[in-house]
Amino acid sequence: MIEDKVYAASSILVVGAHAFDAEVIAGPLAAAAVKRGASVTFLHLTMGEQGHPCLVPAHYCVQKEEEAGRAAGRLGVTLRSLGLHDAFLPSDDETALKVCDVVRELKPEVVITHWHGSWHKDHRAAAHLTQTGIFFAALPTIARDHAAHTPSLLLFGENWEDDDGFRPEHLVDVSDGFDAWTEAVREYELARGLSSFPYVDYYSALYRLRGCLRGTRHAQAFAAASHSWNAGSGLFAPPAGKGSSR
Ligand SMILES: [Zn+2]
């Protein structure tokens, strides 16, 4: 069961296009996993600094860095940022190698990112960069600072902007993490009325709705990578018991 695999992990990496994306696609799960002893890292590819109607991006970037730090503290997760530019997130091999480096350094068993079916170009790029980064991370012939590593599970989280073709294949009980998530997202001005989109209402209702179907108070939905992608990326890892990090 996916839920058992997620909560058995000692290291989980969540890759989001903009600060606040990781918090919604896996925030309650992250808090619940931390409570169970896991180490969870949020990798914000950009800070989402173009999203303020009044502040110039440079100023909003500073604000979002502070908000992201406080939110991470509430969830108990570690933060990483690649410092790339919001709305201009490159979807190329050079950037995927930066994601590869984080995967190799942290050696997560579970990686969670965006579903690729999104209206937002940065979200599509984040999904692509994460899959390509994992592909590069698994290839021992690619020499980087850290040794090759293959996560054992890649999941795509639920985000209102990434709804094109998303299927809630797996529901994970995140009841233990919901209260921390509620406090964490309110650290962001984005969740306190900056946006016309009612983020807190939407995601609170969504996690509750998924919980109704899971039989728990709250749950988060995830789609899995294809069988062929899982098998293909795993081919590059050493055999189990022969130095594999899996
Ligand atoms: Zn976003």
Side-chain angles (χ1 to χ4, degrees):
M1 193 175 179
I2 290 286
E3 183 174 298
D4 296 336
K5 208 166 180 178
V6 167
Y7 287 132
S10 59
S11 176
I12 297 173
L13 174 65
V14 185
V15 183
H18 313 106
F20 197 75
D21 282 322
E23 285 84 345
V24 299
I25 63 177
L29 179 145
V34 167
K35 278 189 175 178
R36 289 163 171 77
S39 169
V40 181
T41 301
F42 282 180
L43 175 60
H44 299 322
L45 299 175
T46 83
M47 294 311 294
E49 70 275 10
Q50 304 271 10
H52 201 289
C54 309
L55 291 177
V56 297
H59 288 177
Y60 189 39
C61 187
V62 172
Q63 177 180 320
K64 282 205 81 178
E65 285 170 352
E66 292 169 357
E67 292 170 340
R70 291 197 298 272
R74 300 267 190 193
L75 295 169
V77 308
T78 303
L79 271 195
R80 290 289 185 94
S81 171
L82 289 191
L84 300 166
H85 294 299
D86 182 14
F88 296 94
L89 182 60
S91 183
D92 57 19
D93 289 347
E94 184 184 350
T95 311
L97 281 169
K98 295 178 180 174
V99 177
C100 157
D101 288 342
V102 175
V103 171
R104 285 189 174 192
E105 179 189 344
L106 300 178
K107 298 183 171 28
E109 295 106 312
V110 176
V111 177
I112 300 171
T113 191
H114 293 264
W115 173 248
H116 62 77
S118 178
W119 74 265
H120 199 304
K121 64 185 285 294
D122 286 353
H123 290 202
R124 294 195 302 273
H128 172 76
L129 290 166
T130 305
Q131 285 201 253
T132 306
I134 291 173
F135 174 74
F136 287 157
L139 277 171
T141 49
I142 295 180
R144 308 292 288 178
D145 287 346
H146 298 278
H149 171 74
T150 304
S152 57
L153 181 63
L154 170 63
L155 295 173
F156 306 106
E158 191 166 22
N159 184 309
W160 76 276
E161 294 169 293
D162 309 342
D163 63 338
D164 187 1
F166 180 85
R167 293 183 63 243
E169 296 172 316
H170 304 282
L171 300 178
V172 175
D173 178 11
V174 297
S175 305
D176 286 355
F178 181 77
D179 289 346
W181 172 83
T182 303
E183 294 177 354
V185 288
R186 288 204 168 95
E187 295 289 359
Y188 283 95
E189 187 183 3
L190 197 55
R192 299 194 307 267
L194 175 67
S195 168
S196 59
F197 188 80
Y199 283 100
V200 176
D201 288 351
Y202 180 88
Y203 285 103
S204 298
L206 181 67
Y207 304 149
R208 176 69 189 113
L209 179 151
R210 297 305 184 201
C212 290
L213 298 174
R214 169 68 183 78
T216 57
R217 184 67 196 167
H218 295 100
Q220 285 201 263
F222 298 91
S226 68
H227 296 304
S228 63
W229 193 86
N230 285 334
S233 63
L235 285 179
F236 298 104
K242 303 276 186 183
S244 168
S245 54
R246 291 198 287 173

